[in-house]
Amino acid sequence: DDEKLIFQNPHLQQMSSGNLQTVFTPGKMPDEQLYIPFTYLSYLLESVGFGLNPPLTHTVNVILHAINALLVFSLAHLLLRNRYAAFICALLFAVHPLQAEAVAWCMGRKDLLSAMFALLALIQFTYFLNAGSKKPYLYSILFFFLAVFSKPSVFVLPLILPVLCWFCGRRMDKSFFLRLLPFIAISAVACVINSRLEMNSFGHEFKYVLFRLAYLPAIVEGWASRIFLFSEPCA
């Protein structure tokens, strides 16, 4: 689907108000099954600057993956306070077979962009937990907004923030949970928008969220088998 969604997509060939409106209007993009405006915007900017072509798109994906590996190192170093442990985390992230699809598939950029912005959100929120400064908190909200509208799967990130707070040894009082409200609101908006698109085959509709949570143990087992390579990776 790289051809029809990217390289032959008429809305990604040139910068115009009409094309921008199509990118940011849910359901306007041809064959759109996820609302991912910032991912499509990256292709549009790439087209304006250099023209859309597979070698360049693949190169950008590789660069984004390298940036994500550096961000994993930064986050792990913030949390573990050990550069060698952080390096191992980043190395495993960089070379793990689960990353192959996101990097090699041109439309996999939605995974790369959402991961990049989500990691930046987590890093900034960690700075906020450690220093209490308002600016990193606002940055974390901004990066989460960019992440969830690069790929809506990141809507679960607010569930990670209390764990991050606990890991950093900070108290989860009323003010902390109030600060989670902007993240929860952004997640809710992303879920509602995507639930209005035809995504039954991908199971991302909002009405399936509780259904998938009920099967969380099976989902965790499936991901664990892939992450720890209990089953052989395949196409």
Side-chain angles (χ1 to χ4, degrees), residues 179-232:
R179 291 185 183 277
L180 294 184
L181 292 181
F183 296 93
I184 296 172
I186 293 171
S187 289
V189 170
C191 287
V192 169
I193 291 175
N194 282 276
S195 70
R196 303 178 74 88
L197 302 177
E198 294 297 329
M199 298 179 295
N200 289 329
S201 60
F202 289 91
H204 285 293
E205 288 198 58
F206 184 59
K207 64 185 179 182
Y208 286 116
V209 171
L210 292 179
F211 174 81
R212 297 177 77 189
L213 286 176
Y215 283 87
L216 192 59
I219 295 172
V220 170
E221 187 277 331
W223 275 102
S225 66
R226 285 183 278 180
I227 290 173
F228 295 105
L229 303 180
F230 294 144
S231 58
E232 184 177 354

Side-chain angles (χ1 to χ4, degrees), residues 39 64-65 67-69 71-72 75 93 99 102 108-123 143 146-148 150-151 154 157:
T39 298
L64 287 172
H65 181 56
I67 292 172
N68 285 344
L71 291 174
V72 169
L75 179 60
F93 175 88
Q99 304 291 358
R109 184 175 299 179
K110 60 182 180 290
D111 299 282
L112 299 169
L113 282 177
S114 63
M116 180 181 73
F117 291 129
L119 286 166
L120 285 168
L122 291 172
I123 289 171
F143 286 131
L146 295 172
V148 82
S150 294
K151 187 178 181 182
V154 191
L157 184 138

